[in-house]
Amino acid sequence: MAIGGFVDWRGNPIKREVHGGVRAAWYMYFLTVVTNMVNVPILLNLVTYLRGTMHMGVSSSATTITNFVGATSGFSLIGAFLSDSYISRSKTILLFGPLEFLGYGLLALQAHVPSLHPPPCNIEAELSNCKEVRGWDATLFYTALYVSAFGEGCMRACVPSLGADQFDHEDPSESRQQSSFFNWFTFGISFGGFLGLIFMVWLENYKGWDIGLGLSSILILLGLLVVAAGLPFYRNQVLEGSPLTRILQVLVVAFRNRRFELHEELEEAQESCDERGSTKVLPQTNSLKFLDKACINHGKEGAWSLCSMTKVEETKIVLPRWHDKHKAGQDPCFPRNTLHHSHHIPNALVERKRKEAEVQMSLFWLAPQFFLLGVSDVTSFTGLLEFFNSEAPRGMKSIATALFWCEIGLASLLATFLVQAVNRATRHGHKGGWLEGTSLNNSHLDLFYWVVAVVGLLGFVNYMYWAKKYVYHQDPRIIVEPSVDQDSP
């Protein structure tokens, strides 16, 4: 049986028994595992490379990583726009994924060739003799880092949406499988990160960063080859043009019609302008009523003069819903990251105890923080990802997923700002700020953790306020059963 709204990689209609399903999703799982075997260790261990090999300071190392995370998430919007508008999600992955392979390859090359990075030294003991990476070496490093971020960002926007596309949410059985996909997708992130933190970090720290980064590049290539092998089995969305253009059309037409009144003519316009052949007709809602004026038919035709109700409702879903009493907009920055900050209070206490201890502390003092971090991930990450994907119209799935990643990226950029702001506020004369010491012992990381804990608490309160006001477009708690009164075909 064919399924509407999707085609195979050649553009032909798909068949349920051939395309999609769990078999197609397994290719996404594999790519998720191998990419997170690479990316999670890099995010958590890159500061060692920046400090030990590139000889960067504590503050600049931290901001380099947060900027990298922010850029990766920002680049996901580009991949999302292209995959929703002009090329399918599977082709976007295969087109831009090799950039991540190239980026890690360049990083491995720089780590391997001594002339491409500063000469070795002990930055803790010989600070005055250590030269920080500069000039062409720094240009090569940042080019490689952000090329890999661009490739990863484009893939990150498409992989969850492509995986969800393999299940028909209107079919009761496949709808349950779609929810399971996000659980397994999150498990793939955690499992890949777990393997990476055990094996990849060991390679990078004890066998050399050139070997660790080189293997990272090979793993990315392997994941892309596996995804390419699954092309004949994927369900690919039918492209409906640029979603950003549709949003702009609604805004422009609503502004032009701002002087018209919303009365009976809105219902007439809705019936006359709903797009034929649309994959999904969205019902009218009561939020952002001024946008409904884009559906008022006053005698002019064309996409920039009259919009369908479906197009208007798509815009309402994507735009922030601030100050609306029915469907309040969620600040995308806070839900996941406020929960993440719950582990900063014990972090502050442990860091203070570490600085006061006369002997080296056991690593297991960090166990409570990692436990809280794990709880926050499993309770929020999966639900948020499924929320962003399921609430979005079919033609905007990748953009919705990219917005999910952007809440993480924006939080990372805000972390960069927070580090700089704290340093500026705590800098006195020749005395550096809390995070400007030459080492952790000369810094005040414990005090900084208290600042982050307060910011996290404020974010959590903000999140609870907007979450109580939100109304689902597709409430997962409601199971729609087929009507027994419908005539059989």
Side-chain angles (χ1 to χ4, degrees):
M1 183 177 65
I3 302 177
F6 291 97
V7 294
D8 67 6
W9 70 294
R10 297 179 183 273
N12 301 318
I14 64 169
K15 297 181 179 179
R16 191 184 298 271
E17 62 273 13
V18 176
H19 302 94
V22 176
R23 177 179 60 177
W26 270 107
Y27 297 95
M28 301 299 106
Y29 297 146
F30 184 85
L31 180 62
T32 301
V33 170
V34 296
T35 53
N36 283 278
M37 280 185 65
V38 172
N39 293 320
V40 172
I42 284 294
L43 294 179
L44 299 181
N45 197 39
L46 186 61
V47 66
T48 304
Y49 180 69
L50 298 178
R51 293 278 291 155
T53 302
M54 297 301 179
H55 306 155
M56 292 184 180
V58 174
S59 179
S60 59
S61 298
T63 54
T64 296
I65 295 173
T66 54
N67 289 339
F68 171 70
V69 174
T72 302
S73 300
F75 288 141
S76 68
L77 287 173
I78 299 177
F81 171 74
L82 293 175
S83 64
D84 281 346
S85 307
Y86 303 111
I87 54 180
S88 67
R89 290 163 189 141
S90 58
K91 292 179 181 178
T92 301
I93 293 172
L94 296 177
L95 182 62
F96 293 101
L99 293 178
E100 186 173 10
F101 163 75
L102 175 63
Y104 279 112
L106 290 175
L107 289 173
L109 177 66
Q110 184 173 34
H112 181 73
V113 180
S115 61
L116 296 179
H117 56 76
C121 70
N122 187 341
I123 193 171
E124 302 292 341
E126 312 172 48
L127 181 62
S128 59
N129 296 326
C130 289
K131 297 181 179 179
E132 184 175 343
V133 61
R134 298 190 184 280
W136 287 107
D137 292 348
T139 301
L140 175 61
F141 171 74
Y142 286 112
T143 299
L145 193 66
Y146 286 103
V147 164
S148 65
F150 187 83
E152 169 63 21
C154 290
M155 288 199 298
R156 183 175 293 184
C158 298
V159 172
S161 299
L162 178 60
D165 284 346
Q166 308 313 307
F167 306 98
D168 182 6
H169 69 86
E170 295 181 356
D171 179 87
S173 176
E174 291 197 12
S175 178
R176 290 190 292 270
Q177 290 178 330
Q178 187 181 75
S179 295
S180 296
F181 165 79
F182 290 105
N183 292 326
W184 283 106
F185 176 80
T186 305
F187 174 79
I189 294 176
S190 301
F191 184 64
F194 174 76
L195 294 179
L197 290 173
I198 292 178
F199 182 63
M200 299 298 294
V201 170
W202 177 80
L203 274 181
E204 292 163 354
N205 290 342
Y206 295 100
K207 296 300 180 180
W209 277 91
D210 53 345
I211 296 177
L213 292 170
L215 180 59
S216 298
S217 182
I218 293 173
L219 285 174
I220 295 296
L221 179 60
L222 177 61
L224 292 173
L225 291 176
V226 170
V227 169
L231 275 177
F233 307 109
Y234 299 148
R235 300 175 183 176
N236 297 285
Q237 86 279 15
V238 175
L239 300 177
E240 301 176 1
S242 169
L244 299 184
T245 301
R246 297 198 296 273
I247 292 175
L248 184 60
Q249 287 171 345
V250 171
L251 295 176
V252 170
V253 177
F255 178 77
R256 289 177 176 174
N257 294 349
R258 65 190 182 278
R259 294 186 177 88
F260 291 92
E261 295 294 332
L262 285 172
H263 293 301
E264 298 84 4
E265 63 265 30
L266 179 59
E267 295 183 2
E268 297 173 4
Q270 179 181 353
E271 297 211 350
S272 63
C273 69
D274 276 333
E275 295 169 343
R276 296 183 179 181
S278 177
T279 57
K280 179 76 173 179
V281 177
L282 300 177
Q284 181 183 358
T285 61
N286 292 323
S287 64
L288 298 176
K289 292 291 292 182
F290 70 93
L291 292 180
D292 291 343
K293 293 187 177 184
C295 270
I296 297 177
N297 189 348
H298 51 88
K300 295 184 179 180
E301 298 293 336
W304 294 95
S305 300
L306 182 63
C307 296
S308 69
M309 184 58 67
T310 295
K311 194 180 291 186
V312 170
E313 291 302 321
E314 284 182 345
T315 304
K316 290 181 182 181
I317 292 174
V318 175
L319 288 181
R321 306 180 190 100
W322 294 102
H323 311 306
D324 185 77
K325 62 182 179 181
H326 296 289
K327 295 180 180 174
Q330 284 186 301
D331 183 343
C333 301
F334 291 111
R336 180 172 184 260
N337 292 284
T338 48
L339 294 174
H340 265 268
H341 291 323
S342 62
H343 71 284
H344 284 295
I345 294 178
N347 265 345
L349 298 175
V350 170
E351 175 62 13
R352 170 56 63 90
K353 183 175 180 61
R354 184 196 68 80
K355 294 180 68 174
E356 295 175 348
E358 297 181 358
V359 295
Q360 185 174 357
M361 292 176 59
S362 169
L363 181 66
F364 288 99
W365 280 92
L366 297 176
Q369 294 91 299
F370 279 99
F371 172 78
L372 291 174
L373 190 64
V375 170
S376 71
D377 266 332
V378 299
T379 56
S380 61
F381 187 92
T382 306
L384 275 174
L385 182 57
E386 184 175 1
F387 168 79
F388 273 77
N389 188 276
S390 62
E391 288 290 277
R394 178 175 291 175
M396 298 184 182
K397 295 291 186 183
S398 294
I399 286 184
T401 304
L403 291 175
F404 165 79
W405 292 115
C406 280
E407 58 95 5
I408 301 174
L410 183 57
S412 296
L413 294 177
L414 290 175
T416 298
F417 169 78
L418 184 62
V419 169
Q420 295 173 346
V422 168
N423 282 336
R424 188 177 298 110
T426 57
R427 191 181 299 135
H428 302 289
H430 297 290
K431 186 178 180 181
W434 285 355
L435 300 177
E436 292 182 320
T438 57
S439 67
L440 289 180
N441 291 330
N442 297 329
S443 303
H444 294 282
L445 188 60
D446 53 334
L447 299 178
F448 178 74
Y449 279 139
W450 284 109
V451 174
V452 175
V454 172
V455 173
L457 177 61
L458 295 176
F460 179 72
V461 172
N462 176 79
Y463 164 72
M464 291 298 295
Y465 175 78
W466 294 110
K468 287 183 178 180
K469 288 179 172 289
Y470 187 82
V471 178
Y472 282 93
H473 284 81
Q474 298 183 28
D475 196 331
R477 297 166 296 183
I478 299 176
I479 301 176
V480 179
E481 298 290 348
S483 175
V484 295
D485 296 330
Q486 292 178 344
D487 294 333
S488 56

